[in-house]
Amino acid sequence: MLLLAVAFIVAFVLLLYMVSPLISPKPLKLPGAHVVVTGGSSGIGKCIAIECYKQGAFITLIARDENKLLQTKKEIEQYSVNDKQVVLCISVDVSKDYEQVENVLKQAQEKLGPVDMLVNCAGTSVTGKFEDIEVNSFERLMAVNYLGSVYPSRAVIATMKERRMGRIVFVSSQAGQLGLFGYTAYSPTKFALRGLAEALQMEVKPYNIYVTVAYPPDTDTPGFAEESKTKPLETKLISETSSVCQAEQVARVIVKDAVQGNFNSSVGSDGYMLSILTSGMSPVTSITEGLQQVVCMGIFRIVGLFYLGSFDSIVRRCMMQREKSESADKNE
């Protein structure tokens, strides 16, 4: 009886693997494709642009700093695979004026053709205790991290629907899967991208358009270095529980998942566990992916509770140390 049950499970799993490719999206071909990357002048955005360019894509870089854009353009052009490839640079703030964003993307499409893949990578971060963060920082982060992804996506979606093809990538963060100490301004903006992505995917899937949400961990970028300067002690100690990834590694994973049409994109074992734990009602692009979520959810929840307990311990310990220090200062 036991052998029969094992045989049935094995046969079921093999069947899933056989059927899975039949329901998965057809991969996007990057050679000759037009890829737009916002926030593409540095960090993960720049590395995504380089990775796509290496595979023969035409690139439109969008960022605010024109000088950085021109420097990045020269760097990317070193990786050309043919003489026809082009890197177009556009300096604009994607979070302020939708009409301006719409106009510059129309210009980009007039020069390089319809957008095949849009990578929303523009973003910024502010860390600190909730009561210490300036109120306008909450507004600014929501504008840059959320609306800065809404506007470019809104500007290209109609053309993608007409062509019955396209990829839209939202670069969130592991802080968009798990709220952590010090990220009360940042995390909500990254959580918002998940909701946008789920709703948008349901709308555009019939048009053969696929949305990807990327959840990179701490990544060695200029933005991360700047963020680290203002991190509270608790945030730093919690961050030490995971390693810092290289931007090139993260970019390769995001591009691969976007091309395949995967909804979730994560890096490393921690990223995989978080994606399973937070899968909820998010769409899947293969039966195999859904099966993994069902099988692994329970055990990963146990591991997750252990992590949460250790994080709470760090916060309590820091609070007690701070209170002791303040008490000692008063007694002097």
Side-chain angles (χ1 to χ4, degrees), residues 34 58 86 88-90 105-113:
H34 181 192
F58 290 69
V86 176
L88 176 66
C89 293
I90 300 176
L105 280 169
K106 281 183 179 178
Q107 294 171 18
Q109 293 185 93
E110 288 171 0
K111 293 180 180 179
L112 300 183

Side-chain angles (χ1 to χ4, degrees), residues 2 28 36 55 62-63 74 104 112 115 121 129 147 174 179 182 219 242 270:
L2 179 61
L28 175 71
V36 175
Q55 297 186 41
I62 298 178
K74 293 178 181 178
V104 298
L112 300 183
V115 176
C121 205
K129 294 180 183 178
L147 294 179
Q174 286 188 354
T219 306
S242 60
D270 285 349

Side-chain angles (χ1 to χ4, degrees), residues 240-278:
E240 289 175 358
T241 60
S242 60
S243 58
V244 177
C245 289
Q246 296 300 309
E248 294 83 1
Q249 174 193 3
V250 172
R252 283 193 296 270
V253 173
I254 293 174
V255 171
K256 179 182 177 182
D257 285 329
V259 166
Q260 295 296 327
N262 295 332
F263 184 78
N264 287 302
S265 178
S266 59
V267 180
S269 57
D270 285 349
Y272 176 74
M273 182 182 73
L274 275 173
S275 289
I276 296 289
L277 280 172
T278 60

Side-chain angles (χ1 to χ4, degrees), residues 43-44 47 173 215-225 227-228 231 243-251 254 267:
I44 295 174
C47 291
S173 164
Y215 300 104
D218 286 343
T219 306
D220 187 13
T221 64
F224 177 70
E227 170 194 310
S228 298
K231 279 183 179 179
S243 58
V244 177
C245 289
Q246 296 300 309
E248 294 83 1
Q249 174 193 3
V250 172
I254 293 174
V267 180

Side-chain angles (χ1 to χ4, degrees), residues 129 181 232-238 240 312-331:
K129 294 180 183 178
F181 191 106
L233 176 60
E234 292 88 342
T235 309
K236 291 180 180 178
L237 293 175
I238 290 173
E240 289 175 358
D312 286 342
S313 178
I314 289 172
V315 173
R316 274 194 236 96
R317 193 164 61 246
C318 289
M319 183 188 70
M320 292 172 65
Q321 291 176 352
R322 189 175 293 110
E323 288 178 345
K324 285 181 181 180
S325 177
E326 291 174 354
S327 178
D329 291 341
K330 288 179 180 179
N331 293 332

Side-chain angles (χ1 to χ4, degrees), residues 81-101:
V81 295
N82 61 66
D83 296 335
K84 296 180 179 180
Q85 282 180 277
V86 176
V87 179
L88 176 66
C89 293
I90 300 176
S91 175
V92 66
D93 187 337
V94 293
S95 67
K96 284 191 175 182
D97 186 341
Y98 170 70
E99 290 186 0
Q100 188 177 20
V101 173

